[in-house]
Amino acid sequence: SIIAIQLVSRARQSGLVITPRDVFQHQTVEELAATAQPVGEGERVEAEPPGAGIGRVPATPIMRWFQDLSGPVDGYSQRMLLQVPPGLGVGDLTRALQTVLDHHDMLRLRVDGDEFEVAEPGTVDAAPLVRRVDVAGLDTAALRAVLAEEAEAARGGLDPSAGTMARLVWFDAGPAASGRLLLTLHHLVVDGVSWRILLPDLVTAWAGGALDPVPTSFRRWAQRLAAEASDPARTAELPLWDDVLATPDPVLGARPLDPAADTFGTARHLTLDLPADVTGPLLTDVPAAFHGRVNDVLLTALALAVAEWRRERGTSDETAVLIDLEGHGREEIVPGVDLSRTVGWFTSIYPVRLDAGWVDPADVREGGQAVGTALKRVKEQLREIPDNGIGYGLLRRLNPATGAGLAACPQIAFNYLGRATAPEATDWGPADQADGEALGTGQDGALGLVHAVEVNAHTRDLPGGPELSATWTWAGGLFDAAAIEDLAGRWFAALRGLVAHIGDGAAGGPVGGFTPSDLSLVDVSQDEIDELAAELDGEWELD
């Protein structure tokens, strides 16, 4: 989805208008070309008057979610560490940051209690936000120690109540060596898509170039969301969300999560990689066989793994699993909006019930017929969620009449961040992964955890092929490392089983196929679709 948004933005820069929905519905260059229109021709994006993004901003669902966090949140941040050429100059960096601050409204956000307000351009001075640190001649260990120290200081220097939402640190390695550039932003003003807008803009501004306009302000988007929360079409979703949250969710750990005790400081982490020979077909062949998406595959395996893991631990024989999903949140739900150049925190968080049914663990690993049935079930459960779940946050956080009944929080969260080319060691690109890891956590250790277990996954396109990397984060007071390693291993085993299902004939029967959501013009069940597919397969074999 993030790649789709990037494609929309780059197409607009080249004079063509397409939407993220177009990208999913027309998945070839030829089909997209037939859909695309020249910029300005038939566009329905509402033109905003100057200054429309300035002033009080209605809280969005994720802003309200942020306000419910337990513990210190002034430093709740994201950051990016870049490798940069020598001789950037504090003056040029300050000018570049000032340009970006003045161009993107949300970087001038000020928080006053429960209120949010965007100040006018020029009111946030970039000069005190830029810092140069001399790291010339430092060895690797010494450099990473300085990176960690400065990263913590930058995070501690954020102050939402004063409108200080950004800090920029230049690690100057001297006139002949590449340095590092650390940009730290409060999470209230940035998300994964926003980084893909901000970093190129910062480089463009440093080089003296002009920044492309922002068609729709975050403030306009927030206003539209506030109205959308009480729309009858949204409130009609309430029974669906009530049904999802009615899913039994037995305690996974030694006790229920306690944000006062289970904090970021107690969190433990495990990162595992899936090799290219498995990741490649997992991201392409398996979704294609089932006319689905990558998330359908990843979540089917997770549902199978959690159900199996709970049964083995004796905590539950339920096959249904309740999981919080994260989405980019830039959904096409209101007309006249173009968010491809808008910076802010748009993330949507919503619960899903995934019930893959019970599949024998041996059948999961071998990729038997039941694994394909499980994927079809989970795919259809995900398709029942309208607009990628954005309605849940609207009803939970912005509608007083419906919010109280939607307060349950799943114990497990999952987020697939998409696929990207692994960075090379080039200037203005991401710094070495080990340098990034040296920065430490981006949150205060006293901040309470929201979930007992979180899985954040992404795919890196490496020279040898794509590799899925997943980081498991869990409350250290609830599980020991062996328990999470066991769960993570079962997930990877299920992913391998799904690849085997479509790859080596282990299924022992038909592989893939359509599901009811693929055939929206007719009312058919999965059994009817499978029967028809079997009949057709039989006729083709006779031919």
Side-chain angles (χ1 to χ4, degrees), residues 451-503:
H451 301 96
V453 179
E454 292 193 3
V455 187
N456 287 283
H458 68 281
T459 299
R460 298 173 297 157
D461 279 321
L462 300 171
E467 291 190 2
L468 179 73
S469 180
T471 297
W472 294 74
T473 300
W474 70 94
L478 301 187
F479 311 95
D480 58 25
I484 302 301
E485 288 170 2
D486 181 27
L487 176 56
R490 292 175 191 269
W491 183 48
F492 269 14
L495 291 174
R496 292 177 183 274
L498 284 163
V499 171
H501 174 75
I502 60 102

Side-chain angles (χ1 to χ4, degrees), residues 91-324:
D92 287 339
L93 282 174
T94 301
R95 173 181 51 78
L97 181 60
Q98 189 70 61
T99 298
V100 171
L101 292 174
D102 291 343
H103 192 75
H104 293 291
D105 296 327
M106 285 298 283
L107 300 186
R108 305 187 305 277
L109 184 70
R110 185 185 301 269
V111 181
D112 183 8
D114 290 339
E115 301 295 325
F116 303 90
E117 186 166 359
V118 169
E120 294 183 357
T123 55
V124 177
D125 183 8
L129 309 180
V130 177
R131 172 174 166 79
R132 173 188 172 273
V133 178
D134 187 354
V135 295
L138 295 186
D139 61 23
T140 299
L143 172 62
R144 289 175 181 166
V146 173
L147 289 175
E149 180 181 354
E150 292 293 334
E152 180 63 16
R155 188 184 67 80
L158 300 177
D159 187 354
S161 64
T164 304
M165 300 303 238
R167 292 279 177 177
L168 188 66
V169 183
W170 172 34
F171 299 92
D172 184 1
S178 293
R180 301 290 184 269
L181 190 68
L182 175 66
L183 178 59
T184 303
L185 298 172
H186 198 282
H187 204 339
L188 278 171
V189 304
V190 73
D191 60 14
V193 177
S194 297
W195 282 112
R196 291 161 168 83
I197 301 167
L198 284 171
L199 295 179
D201 277 7
L202 182 66
V203 178
T204 298
W206 177 83
L211 304 186
D212 291 332
V214 178
T216 300
S217 67
F218 188 93
R219 182 169 179 256
R220 171 71 63 86
W221 171 250
Q223 291 167 341
R224 292 299 188 89
L225 287 188
E228 180 78 7
S230 58
D231 188 280
R234 286 296 160 200
T235 56
E237 294 180 15
L238 187 59
L240 180 150
W241 297 115
D242 284 337
D243 187 49
V244 168
L245 291 177
T247 305
D249 194 23
V251 174
L252 296 175
R255 54 171 172 75
L257 184 75
D258 178 6
D262 301 312
T263 63
F264 276 87
T266 72
R268 300 293 178 262
H269 309 277
L270 171 68
T271 298
L272 299 173
D273 298 325
L274 200 61
D277 63 332
V278 181
T279 299
L282 187 73
L283 301 184
T284 54
D285 298 344
V286 181
F290 290 89
H291 306 279
R293 303 167 189 164
V294 174
N295 244 20
D296 302 334
V297 182
L298 299 179
L299 289 169
T300 297
L302 185 60
L304 289 169
V306 172
E308 181 185 308
W309 181 70
R310 290 191 309 199
R311 179 172 291 203
E312 288 288 328
R313 288 165 59 85
T315 58
S316 174
D317 288 337
E318 293 280 348
T319 56
V321 179
L322 192 63
I323 295 177
D324 255 351

